[in-house]
Amino acid sequence: MIGPIGLRGFLMGSSFIHRRSVICLAGCLMAHAAWGTGVSPALTSQARAVVQAQLDAFAADDSLRAFLLGTETLRKRFGSPDRFMAMVRRGYPAVYRPASVAFLKPRRDGVQLIQQVQLTDAQGNGWLATYRLEQQGKGPWLIAACEVEPNEGSFT
Protein backbone atom coordinates (compact mmCIF):
# COMPACT_ATOMS: atom_id res chain seq x y z
CA MET A 1 0.00 0.00 0.00
CA ILE A 2 1.32 3.43 -0.95
CA GLY A 3 0.73 6.04 1.71
CA PRO A 4 1.87 9.57 2.49
CA ILE A 5 5.46 8.45 3.09
CA GLY A 6 8.16 10.16 1.04
CA LEU A 7 11.91 9.83 0.86
CA ARG A 8 13.63 8.35 3.90
CA GLY A 9 10.35 7.93 5.73
CA PHE A 10 9.46 11.64 6.00
CA LEU A 11 5.74 12.30 6.12
CA MET A 12 4.64 13.81 2.82
CA GLY A 13 0.96 14.50 3.55
CA SER A 14 -0.90 17.45 2.06
CA SER A 15 -0.39 19.64 5.16
CA PHE A 16 3.38 19.05 4.99
CA ILE A 17 3.47 19.95 1.30
CA HIS A 18 1.32 23.04 1.91
CA ARG A 19 3.60 24.17 4.76
CA ARG A 20 6.70 23.73 2.56
CA SER A 21 5.02 25.72 -0.23
CA VAL A 22 4.26 28.57 2.15
CA ILE A 23 7.83 28.55 3.46
CA CYS A 24 9.17 28.57 -0.11
CA LEU A 25 6.86 31.43 -1.11
CA ALA A 26 7.86 33.44 1.98
CA GLY A 27 11.52 32.89 1.14
CA CYS A 28 11.00 34.08 -2.41
CA LEU A 29 9.16 37.18 -1.22
CA MET A 30 11.90 38.00 1.26
CA ALA A 31 14.54 37.57 -1.43
CA HIS A 32 12.59 39.88 -3.73
CA ALA A 33 12.32 42.48 -0.97
CA ALA A 34 16.04 42.19 -0.27
CA TRP A 35 16.85 42.74 -3.92
CA GLY A 36 14.45 45.68 -3.93
CA THR A 37 13.23 46.77 -7.30
CA GLY A 38 16.39 45.95 -9.19
CA VAL A 39 17.72 49.52 -9.27
CA SER A 40 21.49 49.32 -9.31
CA PRO A 41 23.69 51.69 -7.32
CA ALA A 42 24.82 53.31 -10.59
CA LEU A 43 21.23 53.92 -11.70
CA THR A 44 20.34 55.21 -8.22
CA SER A 45 23.20 57.68 -8.53
CA GLN A 46 22.03 58.80 -11.99
CA ALA A 47 18.44 59.35 -10.83
CA ARG A 48 19.54 61.38 -7.83
CA ALA A 49 21.96 63.41 -9.93
CA VAL A 50 19.25 64.45 -12.43
CA VAL A 51 16.78 65.47 -9.73
CA GLN A 52 19.48 67.25 -7.69
CA ALA A 53 20.67 69.08 -10.83
CA GLN A 54 17.15 70.39 -11.41
CA LEU A 55 16.79 71.43 -7.76
CA ASP A 56 20.15 73.22 -8.07
CA ALA A 57 18.96 74.94 -11.25
CA PHE A 58 15.82 76.16 -9.45
CA ALA A 59 17.96 77.46 -6.57
CA ALA A 60 20.10 79.39 -9.05
CA ASP A 61 17.04 80.62 -11.00
CA ASP A 62 18.55 78.93 -14.05
CA SER A 63 15.33 78.28 -15.97
CA LEU A 64 17.10 76.96 -19.08
CA ARG A 65 19.08 74.33 -17.20
CA ALA A 66 15.99 73.25 -15.20
CA PHE A 67 13.93 73.10 -18.41
CA LEU A 68 16.52 71.01 -20.29
CA LEU A 69 16.45 68.35 -17.55
CA GLY A 70 12.87 67.58 -18.59
CA THR A 71 11.90 65.20 -21.37
CA GLU A 72 10.98 66.53 -24.80
CA THR A 73 7.31 65.88 -24.02
CA LEU A 74 7.55 67.98 -20.86
CA ARG A 75 9.37 70.75 -22.70
CA LYS A 76 6.72 70.80 -25.44
CA ARG A 77 3.97 71.05 -22.82
CA PHE A 78 5.44 74.24 -21.34
CA GLY A 79 6.97 75.69 -24.50
CA SER A 80 9.71 77.78 -22.92
CA PRO A 81 12.08 77.77 -19.95
CA ASP A 82 10.46 80.92 -18.55
CA ARG A 83 6.95 79.44 -18.62
CA PHE A 84 8.25 76.27 -16.99
CA MET A 85 10.02 78.21 -14.22
CA ALA A 86 6.94 80.38 -13.60
CA MET A 87 4.80 77.25 -13.19
CA VAL A 88 7.28 75.75 -10.69
CA ARG A 89 7.47 79.00 -8.69
CA ARG A 90 3.66 79.23 -8.46
CA GLY A 91 2.67 75.59 -8.13
CA TYR A 92 5.63 73.89 -6.47
CA PRO A 93 7.25 76.25 -3.95
CA ALA A 94 8.65 73.34 -1.92
CA VAL A 95 10.47 72.12 -5.06
CA TYR A 96 11.50 75.62 -6.10
CA ARG A 97 13.05 76.51 -2.73
CA PRO A 98 13.24 73.51 -0.40
CA ALA A 99 14.64 74.01 3.08
CA SER A 100 15.78 70.38 3.13
CA VAL A 101 15.94 67.46 0.74
CA ALA A 102 16.15 63.71 1.42
CA PHE A 103 16.23 61.15 -1.38
CA LEU A 104 14.43 57.85 -0.95
CA LYS A 105 15.42 54.65 -2.71
CA PRO A 106 14.33 54.75 -6.37
CA ARG A 107 12.25 52.02 -7.96
CA ARG A 108 11.29 50.95 -11.46
CA ASP A 109 7.80 51.27 -12.88
CA GLY A 110 7.96 49.69 -16.32
CA VAL A 111 10.38 51.75 -18.38
CA GLN A 112 10.25 54.66 -15.96
CA LEU A 113 12.34 55.19 -12.88
CA ILE A 114 10.52 56.60 -9.86
CA GLN A 115 12.57 58.78 -7.54
CA GLN A 116 10.79 60.02 -4.44
CA VAL A 117 12.22 62.94 -2.50
CA GLN A 118 11.16 64.18 0.91
CA LEU A 119 11.19 67.95 0.97
CA THR A 120 10.67 70.49 3.72
CA ASP A 121 9.48 73.98 2.88
CA ALA A 122 10.50 77.20 4.64
CA GLN A 123 7.66 76.79 7.16
CA GLY A 124 8.79 73.27 8.16
CA ASN A 125 5.98 71.48 6.31
CA GLY A 126 6.85 68.09 4.84
CA TRP A 127 6.26 67.26 1.18
CA LEU A 128 6.79 64.15 -0.91
CA ALA A 129 7.88 64.80 -4.48
CA THR A 130 7.55 61.83 -6.83
CA TYR A 131 9.69 62.23 -9.93
CA ARG A 132 9.13 60.04 -12.98
CA LEU A 133 12.28 59.73 -15.06
CA GLU A 134 12.62 58.29 -18.55
CA GLN A 135 15.81 57.25 -20.29
CA GLN A 136 16.37 58.94 -23.62
CA GLY A 137 17.31 56.03 -25.89
CA LYS A 138 20.63 54.85 -24.52
CA GLY A 139 21.37 58.35 -23.28
CA PRO A 140 20.60 60.24 -20.10
CA TRP A 141 17.62 59.97 -17.80
CA LEU A 142 15.37 63.03 -17.86
CA ILE A 143 12.41 64.12 -15.77
CA ALA A 144 9.05 63.28 -17.36
CA ALA A 145 6.87 64.44 -14.46
CA CYS A 146 6.87 65.48 -10.83
CA GLU A 147 3.94 65.17 -8.46
CA VAL A 148 4.08 66.80 -5.04
CA GLU A 149 1.84 65.94 -2.12
CA PRO A 150 1.86 66.81 1.56
CA ASN A 151 3.92 64.44 3.67
CA GLU A 152 2.37 63.86 7.07
CA GLY A 153 3.86 65.89 9.87
CA SER A 154 6.40 68.65 9.97
CA PHE A 155 10.16 68.33 9.83
CA THR A 156 12.75 70.49 11.50
Side-chain angles (χ1 to χ4, degrees):
M1 181 169 141
I2 299 178
I5 302 293
L7 296 174
R8 296 187 187 166
F10 288 111
L11 185 62
M12 296 295 287
S14 63
S15 65
F16 178 77
I17 293 171
H18 176 72
R19 190 175 13 214
R20 290 206 45 174
S21 297
V22 170
I23 291 170
C24 181
L25 177 61
C28 289
L29 290 174
M30 288 187 333
H32 177 70
W35 287 331
T37 56
V39 177
S40 70
L43 190 52
T44 295
S45 179
Q46 290 173 31
R48 289 180 182 184
V50 171
V51 173
Q52 186 62 60
Q54 191 175 63
L55 292 171
D56 292 345
F58 292 144
D61 283 320
D62 188 342
S63 59
L64 179 60
R65 187 167 51 133
F67 186 68
L68 292 176
L69 289 165
T71 61
E72 184 177 346
T73 301
L74 186 89
R75 292 191 307 262
K76 283 181 181 178
R77 179 188 298 157
F78 292 101
S80 75
D82 292 335
R83 284 184 59 198
F84 176 67
M85 186 67 93
M87 180 277 303
V88 173
R89 269 191 213 111
R90 275 191 319 271
Y92 298 87
V95 172
Y96 179 63
R97 291 286 193 267
S100 69
V101 175
F103 286 87
L104 303 179
K105 186 176 180 182
R107 70 182 193 285
R108 284 197 176 271
D109 183 15
V111 297
Q112 291 186 331
L113 191 58
I114 307 301
Q115 175 64 70
Q116 291 187 307
V117 182
Q118 292 178 331
L119 305 168
T120 306
D121 65 20
Q123 291 75 37
N125 299 308
W127 300 90
L128 182 65
T130 302
Y131 287 85
R132 292 186 167 275
L133 292 91
E134 295 176 353
Q135 190 168 23
Q136 308 306 293
K138 292 185 180 188
W141 288 84
L142 296 178
I143 299 167
C146 177
E147 297 173 11
V148 179
E149 59 188 350
N151 203 5
E152 292 298 317
S154 295
F155 302 93
T156 56

